[in-house]
Amino acid sequence: MNAHDIAQYAMQKLQETGAQQYACQAHTSAKREFNVDGGKFSLLRTTIDNQLDLTLIKDQKRGKILINAFNQEAVDEAVRDCLAAAEGSAADPAWELVPGAQRKFILGAPDGDMDQLFARTQEMLAAIGQEYPKVMVEQMIVAHQRSEGIYLNNLGASYETVEGLYEAQVMFSGHDGDRSSSFNFAAVVTDQLDKPFLDQGSMRQNLADAEKQIDTVATEGKFVGAVVFTPDCAGDVLGELLGNFVGDGVILDGTSPWKDRLGEQVADQRLTLSAAPHHPAIVCGERYVADGYLSEDYDIIKNGRLNQFMLSGYVANKTGKKRAPNSSFSLVMQPGDQPLHDIIAGIDRGLLVSRFSGGSPASNGDFSGVAKNSFLIEKGKITNAVSETMISGNLAEMVNHLRGISSEFVRNGYSRLPWFAVDGITISGK
Amino acid sequence: MLTDIVTKYRDAFAPGAATELRAQRNLSRRVVLRAGSITQNQRTDTKGIGARVYQDGVYGFASAADLSDDAVRAVLKSATDNAAFMARHAGRGTGPLPAIASGQRPADADFADLPQTAYIDCLQALDSYIQQKYPGLESRTLVSSADSMEKLLLTSDGYTSHILAPRSYIYVMLTAKGKDGAPVEVFEPLGGSGTFDRHFADPAALYPAVDRLYEMVMQKAEGVYADAGVKTVIMAGELAGMLAHEAVGHTVEADLVLGGSVAGPNLHKQVASPLVSMTDFAHTAFGQAAPLPVYVDDEGVLAEDAVLIENGILKGYMHNRQSAQHFEARPQGNARAWLFSDEPLIRMRNTAVHPGKDKLDDMIASVEDGYYLLHTGNGQADTTGEFMFGITMGYEIKHGKLGRAIRDTTISGVAFEMLKTVDMVSDTVSWGSSGFCGKKQPMPVGLGGPELKCRVTIGGR
């Protein structure tokens, strides 16, 4: 059975359970993937998979089942399991599906050009060898993925999707004899093969930096200084900030320090951060949410004010707050008006941090971890690469001690972020 | 249990090419009870068939979400075509893989797929206990989680096997208000290999563990920030296991050695104190069953222990068949795949530091000014061996005695330097097995060790 037929069959069986609300998503996917290991081609992989996701709410009790078999017998069993899961659960009026629209979405590049993709993969591997001779490719994965399917709920939502994208990710390190840099990586997703992967996202920057990070100095002592986060690292750091302060879990259990600060200034007024799956920089962004509504872009923080929590419909109902207009993590940050060079020129002592390896931040936002693939900034200039250097601070304080946001930004298909610099970070070494 | 649809296809394998055919089912359950509300209640059931073919130094792989004869024939053809494509464009001229032992590993005992209510009821009983006994907590989150892999494997020249590997856990997270008003958290996984009913038939059996955790979170609420800098610490077994896995284990996976890890130039060299030995155990460790036993890997290699460090000397790497050929070593059963749609990768199994002769009390008494680090929330390491572990529970040690609890912090170091500072090793090993190792695919792994006294960099304010 194809995805549409299996979805229709599943909806019929869900209706027979007597559930008041139910939904079904059925998708098929096909992926072709080239692997490179240790700098050499190693594998070509073709995977065909299905996903059938069933949700039902009966007497305010919810069950959810995911299977990958597309046949009637498997669906019958899954619907029975879904009902049993719901009946074993506790009644909670916060669970709900919502009425939706009927749409069809064709996104990205559903029909991949595998010959061209292989050519781009060969080209990238050769170019890294020629242009970055001290870089060793630990692993490279280049793939095309196609997905096709439908979402249905019993309140009228019907969303058909056909989408496809190319992805390229590479993990590497710099080497000179027995000396090596820390590993780093870069990744892009795109729906076009019109330009080399190497010219996209942060590929070239990170590869060039790896060669400069073979020889490092250990930071001496401890000082409070400025830190400039690269766009790759900014995505990770902002992800921690959002998870800790505006996400479902911390709002539901009331541990977010920002739980009562909607509409208030929580960050420097230059900070505007959005979840924007429709933004032109985002490839195959989310078009609907599994509760049944269409996704819309929104600002999480606008000009430093907390504009919207990132809440699911369930937690919104549970807490009386507004649900987020999408469930994506397609982060788009508004660039600043200063070139990166000028921001760095104004820093007397600090770090340029490309990767952060840290523990999960504490509930209050305290964080600490190792600054990886990073450089010292001294008297306005980037100097030595560093090793064994830790940074610590507080996420909430950090976004209030903004030094600057660069006018340049990196778009890699899943986010669009600039460099940003903050003051007041504790930097410690040996 | 899966019906055997693979063994009759041996004759369909391409002549002269090393081929693996694997039917697989993964089941998982996850129930989350956050502040008394069930925020997740989910069952996942994934099954299908995958095939991998080796030709001229490169592989082709294919999979389909279908356990039928048509699917078997289709994935064998597609994997063979993919291998031929790669051989044509990127063949390495390395010849066939060296022969391995062949045999049969029969099916393990089947296990019961429990109803979802078993997972929900246990959590609700535990939650009710916590809510009534400790009403002053800021928040509580309980997660019941179970997963299993069932694999039916046919290989052209190695072992055939039928493996079932279930594991089950309850994660307890407690949050209290700190003395400064900021929330503090502690976290502990309970459970292990086997089905949920084996570990959690009686929720009351978990109450002592919850009571201990409550005591910790209240100590942490009164806790202090660690003093940043290089310190003498005693790492509990949980951290020693994390060190063995993250900071050493990954660097000695042969694929990462070929990718330039620090272990490459250090083979047969002193990389740790002579007190330190480390092994990736297959199925039995220190005379007992390892937490997550592996008997045959997904290349059909009969699993045996991989000695990594012996008395401080780096002795060897972990291999798949191809890397073993490259390094002229013997594959020991480390090639494993997570889903039917995944190819086998070099993975750890049960990686541990060996116990020593010291008593924990003597170790604490020997520290003038340092920390006893008990629990970690996460850990990451580099191919250089530089590591970072988040510390979620620990205590000061002052003048040989345990002091105040510390707030969340981070420790870091470079494995082959830090391991040389180990000067005491306790005589007791503790294991963990609740997490997933992430390396392209997730994979359940066991990790463990004794308490280690050493010097590391600790973060603070």
Coordinates of all heavy atoms in Angstrom, one line a residue, chain B residues 292-367:
Chain B
L292 N 25.8 -5.1 28.8 CA 25.1 -5.3 27.5 C 25.9 -6.2 26.6 O 26.7 -5.8 25.8 CB 24.9 -3.9 26.8 CG 24.1 -2.8 27.5 CD1 24.2 -1.5 26.8 CD2 22.7 -3.3 27.8
P293 N 25.7 -7.5 26.9 CA 26.6 -8.5 26.2 C 26.4 -8.6 24.7 O 25.3 -8.4 24.2 CB 26.1 -9.9 26.8 CG 25.1 -9.5 27.9 CD 24.7 -8.1 27.7
V294 N 27.5 -8.8 24.0 CA 27.6 -8.9 22.6 C 28.3 -10.3 22.3 O 29.4 -10.4 22.7 CB 28.3 -7.8 21.9 CG1 28.4 -8.0 20.4 CG2 27.5 -6.5 22.1
Y295 N 27.6 -11.2 21.6 CA 28.2 -12.5 21.3 C 28.7 -12.6 19.9 O 29.7 -13.3 19.6 CB 27.2 -13.6 21.6 CG 26.9 -13.6 23.1 CD1 25.8 -13.0 23.6 CD2 27.7 -14.3 24.0 CE1 25.5 -13.0 25.0 CE2 27.4 -14.3 25.4 CZ 26.3 -13.7 25.9 OH 26.1 -13.7 27.2
V296 N 28.0 -12.0 18.9 CA 28.3 -12.0 17.5 C 28.0 -10.7 17.0 O 27.0 -10.1 17.3 CB 27.5 -13.1 16.7 CG1 27.9 -13.0 15.2 CG2 27.8 -14.5 17.2
D297 N 28.9 -10.1 16.2 CA 28.6 -8.7 15.7 C 27.9 -8.8 14.4 O 27.6 -9.9 13.9 CB 29.9 -7.9 15.7 CG 30.8 -8.2 14.5 OD1 30.5 -9.0 13.7 OD2 31.9 -7.5 14.5
D298 N 27.6 -7.7 13.8 CA 26.8 -7.6 12.6 C 27.6 -7.9 11.3 O 27.1 -7.7 10.2 CB 26.1 -6.3 12.5 CG 25.1 -6.2 13.7 OD1 24.6 -7.2 14.1 OD2 24.8 -5.0 14.1
E299 N 28.9 -8.2 11.4 CA 29.7 -8.7 10.3 C 29.8 -10.2 10.4 O 30.5 -10.9 9.6 CB 31.0 -8.1 10.2 CG 31.0 -6.6 9.9 CD 32.4 -6.0 9.7 OE1 33.3 -6.5 10.4 OE2 32.5 -5.0 9.0
G300 N 29.2 -10.8 11.5 CA 29.3 -12.3 11.7 C 30.6 -12.7 12.4 O 31.0 -13.8 12.3
V301 N 31.2 -11.7 13.1 CA 32.5 -12.0 13.8 C 32.1 -12.4 15.2 O 31.4 -11.8 15.9 CB 33.4 -10.8 13.8 CG1 34.6 -11.1 14.7 CG2 33.8 -10.5 12.4
L302 N 32.7 -13.6 15.7 CA 32.4 -14.0 17.1 C 33.1 -13.0 18.0 O 34.3 -12.8 17.8 CB 33.0 -15.4 17.2 CG 32.7 -16.2 18.5 CD1 31.2 -16.5 18.5 CD2 33.5 -17.5 18.6
A303 N 32.4 -12.5 19.0 CA 32.9 -11.4 19.8 C 33.8 -11.9 20.9 O 33.6 -12.9 21.5 CB 31.7 -10.7 20.4
E304 N 34.9 -11.2 21.0 CA 35.9 -11.4 22.1 C 36.3 -10.1 22.7 O 36.1 -9.0 22.0 CB 37.1 -12.3 21.6 CG 37.8 -11.6 20.5 CD 38.9 -12.5 20.0 OE1 38.6 -13.6 19.5 OE2 40.1 -12.0 20.0
D305 N 37.0 -10.1 23.8 CA 37.4 -8.8 24.5 C 38.5 -8.2 23.6 O 39.3 -8.8 23.0 CB 37.9 -9.1 25.9 CG 36.9 -9.7 26.8 OD1 35.7 -9.6 26.4 OD2 37.3 -10.2 27.8
A306 N 38.4 -6.8 23.6 CA 39.5 -6.1 23.0 C 40.3 -5.3 24.1 O 39.7 -4.4 24.7 CB 38.9 -5.0 22.0
V307 N 41.5 -5.7 24.2 CA 42.4 -5.1 25.2 C 42.9 -3.8 24.7 O 43.5 -3.7 23.6 CB 43.6 -6.0 25.6 CG1 44.5 -5.3 26.6 CG2 43.1 -7.3 26.2
L308 N 42.6 -2.7 25.4 CA 43.0 -1.3 24.9 C 44.2 -0.8 25.5 O 45.2 -0.4 24.9 CB 41.8 -0.4 25.1 CG 40.4 -0.8 24.5 CD1 39.3 0.2 24.9 CD2 40.5 -1.1 23.0
I309 N 44.2 -0.8 26.9 CA 45.4 -0.3 27.6 C 45.7 -1.4 28.7 O 44.8 -1.9 29.4 CB 45.1 1.0 28.3 CG1 44.9 2.1 27.3 CG2 46.2 1.4 29.3 CD1 44.5 3.5 27.9
E310 N 47.0 -1.8 28.8 CA 47.4 -2.8 29.7 C 48.6 -2.2 30.5 O 49.6 -1.8 30.0 CB 47.8 -4.0 29.0 CG 48.0 -5.2 30.0 CD 48.2 -6.5 29.1 OE1 49.3 -6.7 28.6 OE2 47.2 -7.3 29.0
N311 N 48.4 -2.0 31.8 CA 49.4 -1.4 32.7 C 49.9 -0.1 32.1 O 51.1 0.1 32.1 CB 50.5 -2.4 33.0 CG 50.0 -3.7 33.6 OD1 49.0 -3.7 34.4 ND2 50.6 -4.8 33.2
G312 N 49.0 0.7 31.6 CA 49.4 2.0 31.1 C 49.9 2.0 29.6 O 50.1 3.1 29.1
I313 N 50.1 0.9 29.0 CA 50.6 0.8 27.6 C 49.4 0.7 26.7 O 48.6 -0.2 26.9 CB 51.5 -0.4 27.4 CG1 52.7 -0.4 28.5 CG2 52.1 -0.4 26.0 CD1 53.7 0.7 28.3
L314 N 49.4 1.5 25.6 CA 48.3 1.3 24.6 C 48.6 0.1 23.8 O 49.6 0.0 23.1 CB 48.2 2.6 23.7 CG 47.2 2.6 22.6 CD1 45.8 2.5 23.2 CD2 47.3 3.8 21.7
K315 N 47.7 -0.9 23.9 CA 47.9 -2.2 23.3 C 47.2 -2.5 22.0 O 47.7 -3.3 21.2 CB 47.5 -3.3 24.3 CG 48.2 -3.3 25.6 CD 49.6 -3.6 25.5 CE 50.0 -5.0 25.4 NZ 51.4 -5.3 25.5
G316 N 46.1 -1.8 21.7 CA 45.4 -2.1 20.5 C 44.2 -1.3 20.2 O 43.8 -0.4 21.0
Y317 N 43.6 -1.5 19.0 CA 42.4 -0.8 18.6 C 41.2 -1.7 18.5 O 41.3 -2.9 18.6 CB 42.7 -0.1 17.2 CG 43.9 0.7 17.1 CD1 44.7 0.6 16.0 CD2 44.3 1.6 18.1 CE1 45.9 1.4 15.8 CE2 45.5 2.4 18.0 CZ 46.2 2.3 16.9 OH 47.4 3.0 16.7
M318 N 40.0 -1.1 18.3 CA 38.8 -1.8 18.0 C 38.6 -1.8 16.5 O 38.8 -0.8 15.9 CB 37.6 -1.3 18.8 CG 37.7 -1.5 20.3 SD 36.5 -0.6 21.2 CE 37.2 1.0 21.3
H319 N 38.2 -2.9 16.0 CA 38.2 -3.1 14.5 C 36.9 -3.6 14.0 O 36.1 -4.2 14.6 CB 39.2 -4.1 14.1 CG 40.6 -3.6 14.3 ND1 41.2 -2.7 13.5 CD2 41.6 -4.0 15.2 CE1 42.5 -2.5 13.9 NE2 42.7 -3.2 14.9
N320 N 36.7 -3.3 12.7 CA 35.8 -4.1 11.9 C 36.6 -4.9 11.0 O 37.9 -4.9 11.1 CB 34.8 -3.2 11.0 CG 35.5 -2.2 10.1 OD1 36.7 -2.4 9.8 ND2 34.8 -1.2 9.8
R321 N 36.0 -5.7 10.1 CA 36.9 -6.6 9.3 C 37.8 -5.8 8.4 O 39.0 -6.2 8.2 CB 36.0 -7.5 8.4 CG 35.2 -8.5 9.2 CD 34.4 -9.5 8.4 NE 35.2 -10.3 7.6 CZ 34.8 -11.2 6.7 NH1 33.5 -11.3 6.4 NH2 35.7 -12.0 6.1
Q322 N 37.3 -4.7 7.8 CA 38.2 -4.0 6.9 C 39.4 -3.3 7.6 O 40.5 -3.3 7.1 CB 37.3 -2.9 6.1 CG 38.1 -2.3 5.0 CD 37.2 -1.3 4.2 OE1 36.2 -0.8 4.8 NE2 37.5 -1.1 3.0
S323 N 39.1 -2.7 8.7 CA 40.2 -2.0 9.4 C 41.2 -3.1 10.0 O 42.4 -2.8 10.0 CB 39.7 -1.1 10.6 OG 39.3 -1.9 11.7
A324 N 40.7 -4.2 10.4 CA 41.6 -5.3 10.8 C 42.5 -5.7 9.7 O 43.7 -6.0 9.9 CB 40.7 -6.5 11.3
Q325 N 42.0 -5.8 8.5 CA 42.8 -6.1 7.4 C 43.9 -5.0 7.2 O 45.1 -5.4 7.0 CB 42.0 -6.2 6.1 CG 42.8 -6.5 4.8 CD 41.9 -6.5 3.6 OE1 41.0 -5.6 3.5 NE2 42.2 -7.3 2.6
H326 N 43.5 -3.8 7.3 CA 44.5 -2.7 7.1 C 45.6 -2.7 8.2 O 46.8 -2.6 7.8 CB 43.7 -1.3 7.2 CG 44.6 -0.1 7.1 ND1 44.9 0.4 5.9 CD2 45.3 0.5 8.1 CE1 45.7 1.5 6.2 NE2 46.0 1.5 7.5
F327 N 45.2 -3.0 9.4 CA 46.2 -3.0 10.5 C 46.8 -4.4 10.8 O 47.5 -4.5 11.7 CB 45.5 -2.4 11.8 CG 45.3 -1.0 11.8 CD1 44.1 -0.4 11.5 CD2 46.4 -0.1 12.0 CE1 43.8 0.9 11.5 CE2 46.1 1.3 12.0 CZ 44.9 1.8 11.8
E328 N 46.4 -5.3 10.0 CA 46.9 -6.7 10.2 C 46.6 -7.2 11.6 O 47.4 -7.7 12.3 CB 48.4 -6.8 9.8 CG 48.7 -6.5 8.4 CD 50.1 -6.6 8.0 OE1 51.0 -6.7 9.0 OE2 50.5 -6.7 6.8
A329 N 45.4 -6.9 12.0 CA 44.9 -7.3 13.3 C 43.7 -8.3 13.1 O 43.3 -8.6 12.0 CB 44.4 -6.1 14.1
R330 N 43.2 -8.8 14.3 CA 42.0 -9.7 14.2 C 40.8 -9.0 14.6 O 40.8 -8.3 15.7 CB 42.3 -10.8 15.2 CG 41.3 -12.0 15.1 CD 41.7 -13.1 16.0 NE 41.5 -12.8 17.4 CZ 42.5 -12.7 18.3 NH1 43.8 -12.8 17.9 NH2 42.3 -12.4 19.5
P331 N 39.7 -9.0 13.8 CA 38.5 -8.4 14.2 C 37.9 -9.1 15.4 O 38.0 -10.3 15.5 CB 37.5 -8.5 13.0 CG 38.1 -9.7 12.2 CD 39.6 -9.7 12.5
Q332 N 37.3 -8.4 16.4 CA 36.9 -9.0 17.7 C 35.4 -8.8 18.0 O 35.0 -8.9 19.1 CB 37.8 -8.4 18.8 CG 39.3 -8.9 18.6 CD 40.2 -8.2 19.6 OE1 40.3 -7.0 19.7 NE2 40.9 -9.0 20.4
G333 N 34.7 -8.4 16.9 CA 33.2 -8.3 17.2 C 32.7 -6.9 17.5 O 31.8 -6.8 18.3
N334 N 33.3 -5.9 17.0 CA 32.9 -4.5 17.3 C 32.1 -3.8 16.3 O 31.7 -2.7 16.4 CB 34.2 -3.6 17.6 CG 34.9 -3.9 18.9 OD1 35.8 -4.7 18.9 ND2 34.4 -3.3 19.9
A335 N 31.7 -4.5 15.2 CA 31.0 -3.9 14.1 C 29.5 -4.1 14.3 O 29.0 -5.2 14.3 CB 31.4 -4.5 12.8
R336 N 28.8 -3.0 14.6 CA 27.4 -3.1 15.0 C 26.6 -2.0 14.3 O 27.0 -0.9 14.1 CB 27.2 -3.0 16.5 CG 28.0 -4.1 17.3 CD 27.5 -4.2 18.7 NE 28.0 -3.1 19.5 CZ 27.3 -2.7 20.6 NH1 26.1 -3.2 20.9 NH2 27.8 -1.7 21.3
A337 N 25.3 -2.4 14.1 CA 24.4 -1.4 13.4 C 23.2 -1.2 14.3 O 22.8 -2.2 15.1 CB 23.9 -2.0 12.1
W338 N 22.6 -0.1 14.3 CA 21.4 0.3 15.2 C 20.1 -0.2 14.6 O 19.3 -0.8 15.3 CB 21.5 1.8 15.5 CG 20.2 2.3 16.2 CD1 19.5 3.3 15.7 CD2 19.6 1.9 17.4 NE1 18.4 3.6 16.6 CE2 18.5 2.7 17.6 CE3 19.9 0.9 18.3 CZ2 17.6 2.5 18.7 CZ3 19.1 0.7 19.4 CH2 18.0 1.5 19.6
L339 N 19.8 0.2 13.4 CA 18.6 -0.2 12.8 C 18.8 -1.1 11.5 O 19.9 -1.2 11.1 CB 17.8 1.1 12.3 CG 17.3 2.1 13.3 CD1 16.8 3.3 12.7 CD2 16.2 1.4 14.2
F340 N 17.7 -1.6 11.0 CA 17.9 -2.4 9.8 C 18.4 -1.6 8.7 O 19.1 -2.1 7.8 CB 16.5 -3.0 9.4 CG 15.6 -2.0 8.8 CD1 15.5 -1.8 7.5 CD2 14.8 -1.2 9.7 CE1 14.6 -0.8 6.9 CE2 13.9 -0.2 9.2 CZ 13.9 0.0 7.8
S341 N 18.2 -0.3 8.7 CA 18.7 0.6 7.6 C 20.0 1.1 7.9 O 20.5 2.0 7.1 CB 17.6 1.7 7.5 OG 17.4 2.3 8.7
D342 N 20.7 0.6 8.9 CA 22.1 1.1 9.2 C 23.1 0.1 8.8 O 22.9 -1.1 9.1 CB 22.2 1.4 10.7 CG 21.4 2.7 11.0 OD1 21.3 3.6 10.2 OD2 20.9 2.7 12.2
E343 N 24.3 0.5 8.3 CA 25.4 -0.4 8.1 C 26.2 -0.5 9.4 O 26.2 0.4 10.2 CB 26.3 0.2 7.0 CG 27.1 1.4 7.3 CD 26.4 2.7 7.3 OE1 25.2 2.7 7.3 OE2 27.1 3.8 7.4
P344 N 26.9 -1.7 9.6 CA 27.7 -1.8 10.8 C 28.8 -0.8 10.8 O 29.5 -0.6 9.8 CB 28.2 -3.3 10.7 CG 27.4 -3.9 9.7 CD 26.9 -2.9 8.7
L345 N 29.0 -0.2 12.0 CA 30.2 0.6 12.2 C 31.0 0.1 13.4 O 30.5 -0.7 14.2 CB 29.7 2.1 12.6 CG 28.7 2.8 11.7 CD1 28.3 4.1 12.3 CD2 29.4 3.0 10.3
I346 N 32.2 0.6 13.6 CA 33.0 0.1 14.7 C 32.4 0.8 16.0 O 32.4 2.0 16.0 CB 34.5 0.5 14.5 CG1 35.1 -0.2 13.3 CG2 35.3 0.1 15.8 CD1 36.5 0.2 12.9
R347 N 32.0 0.0 16.9 CA 31.3 0.5 18.1 C 31.9 -0.2 19.3 O 32.3 -1.4 19.3 CB 29.8 0.2 18.1 CG 29.1 0.7 16.9 CD 29.3 2.2 16.5 NE 28.9 3.1 17.5 CZ 27.8 3.9 17.4 NH1 27.0 3.8 16.3 NH2 27.4 4.7 18.3
M348 N 31.9 0.5 20.4 CA 32.3 -0.1 21.7 C 31.1 -1.0 22.2 O 30.0 -0.8 21.7 CB 32.6 1.0 22.7 CG 33.9 1.6 22.5 SD 34.2 3.0 23.6 CE 33.9 4.4 22.4
R349 N 31.4 -1.8 23.1 CA 30.4 -2.7 23.7 C 30.3 -2.4 25.2 O 29.4 -1.7 25.6 CB 30.8 -4.2 23.4 CG 30.8 -4.4 21.9 CD 31.7 -5.6 21.5 NE 33.0 -5.5 22.0 CZ 34.0 -6.4 21.7 NH1 33.7 -7.5 21.0 NH2 35.2 -6.3 22.2
N350 N 31.2 -2.9 26.0 CA 31.2 -2.7 27.5 C 32.7 -2.3 27.8 O 33.5 -3.1 28.0 CB 30.8 -4.0 28.2 CG 29.5 -4.5 27.8 OD1 28.4 -4.0 28.2 ND2 29.4 -5.4 26.9
T351 N 32.9 -1.0 27.8 CA 34.3 -0.5 28.0 C 34.5 -0.1 29.4 O 33.8 0.7 30.0 CB 34.5 0.7 27.0 OG1 33.9 0.4 25.7 CG2 35.9 1.0 26.8
A352 N 35.6 -0.6 30.0 CA 35.8 -0.3 31.4 C 37.3 -0.2 31.8 O 38.1 -0.9 31.2 CB 35.1 -1.4 32.2
V353 N 37.5 0.6 32.8 CA 38.8 0.6 33.5 C 38.8 -0.6 34.5 O 37.8 -0.8 35.2 CB 39.0 1.9 34.2 CG1 40.4 2.0 34.9 CG2 38.9 3.1 33.2
H354 N 39.9 -1.3 34.6 CA 40.0 -2.4 35.5 C 40.1 -1.9 36.9 O 40.7 -0.8 37.2 CB 41.2 -3.2 35.2 CG 41.1 -4.0 33.9 ND1 41.5 -5.3 33.7 CD2 40.6 -3.6 32.7 CE1 41.3 -5.6 32.5 NE2 40.8 -4.6 31.8
P355 N 39.7 -2.7 37.9 CA 39.8 -2.2 39.3 C 41.2 -2.3 39.8 O 42.0 -3.1 39.2 CB 38.9 -3.2 40.0 CG 38.8 -4.4 39.2 CD 38.9 -3.9 37.8
G356 N 41.5 -1.6 40.9 CA 42.9 -1.6 41.5 C 42.8 -2.2 42.8 O 41.9 -3.1 43.1
K357 N 43.6 -1.7 43.8 CA 43.7 -2.3 45.1 C 43.3 -1.4 46.2 O 43.3 -1.7 47.4 CB 45.1 -2.9 45.3 CG 45.4 -4.0 44.4 CD 46.9 -4.5 44.6 CE 47.2 -5.6 43.7 NZ 48.6 -6.0 43.7
D358 N 43.0 -0.1 45.9 CA 42.8 0.9 46.9 C 41.3 0.9 47.4 O 40.4 0.5 46.7 CB 43.1 2.3 46.4 CG 44.6 2.4 46.0 OD1 45.4 2.2 47.0 OD2 44.9 2.6 44.9
K359 N 41.2 1.3 48.6 CA 39.8 1.5 49.2 C 39.4 3.0 49.1 O 40.2 3.9 49.2 CB 39.9 1.2 50.7 CG 40.3 -0.3 51.0 CD 39.2 -1.3 50.5 CE 39.6 -2.7 50.7 NZ 38.7 -3.6 50.0
L360 N 38.1 3.2 48.8 CA 37.6 4.5 48.5 C 37.9 5.4 49.7 O 38.3 6.6 49.5 CB 36.1 4.5 48.2 CG 35.5 5.8 48.1 CD1 36.1 6.6 46.9 CD2 34.0 5.7 47.8
D361 N 37.7 4.9 50.9 CA 38.0 5.8 52.1 C 39.4 6.2 52.2 O 39.7 7.4 52.5 CB 37.6 5.0 53.4 CG 36.1 4.8 53.5 OD1 35.4 5.5 52.8 OD2 35.7 4.0 54.4
D362 N 40.3 5.4 51.8 CA 41.7 5.7 51.8 C 42.0 6.8 50.8 O 42.9 7.7 50.9 CB 42.6 4.5 51.6 CG 42.5 3.5 52.7 OD1 42.1 3.9 53.8 OD2 42.8 2.3 52.5
M363 N 41.3 6.6 49.6 CA 41.5 7.6 48.6 C 41.1 9.0 49.0 O 41.8 10.0 48.8 CB 40.8 7.1 47.3 CG 41.4 5.8 46.7 SD 40.3 5.1 45.4 CE 40.6 6.2 44.1
I364 N 39.9 9.0 49.6 CA 39.4 10.3 50.1 C 40.3 10.9 51.1 O 40.6 12.1 51.1 CB 37.9 10.2 50.6 CG1 37.0 9.8 49.5 CG2 37.5 11.5 51.3 CD1 35.6 9.4 49.9
A365 N 40.8 10.1 52.0 CA 41.6 10.5 53.1 C 43.0 11.1 52.6 O 43.6 11.9 53.3 CB 41.9 9.4 54.1
S366 N 43.3 10.7 51.4 CA 44.6 11.1 50.9 C 44.6 12.5 50.2 O 45.6 13.0 49.7 CB 45.2 10.1 49.9 OG 44.4 10.2 48.7
V367 N 43.4 13.1 50.0 CA 43.2 14.3 49.3 C 43.1 15.5 50.3 O 42.2 15.5 51.1 CB 41.9 14.3 48.4 CG1 41.8 15.7 47.7 CG2 42.0 13.2 47.4

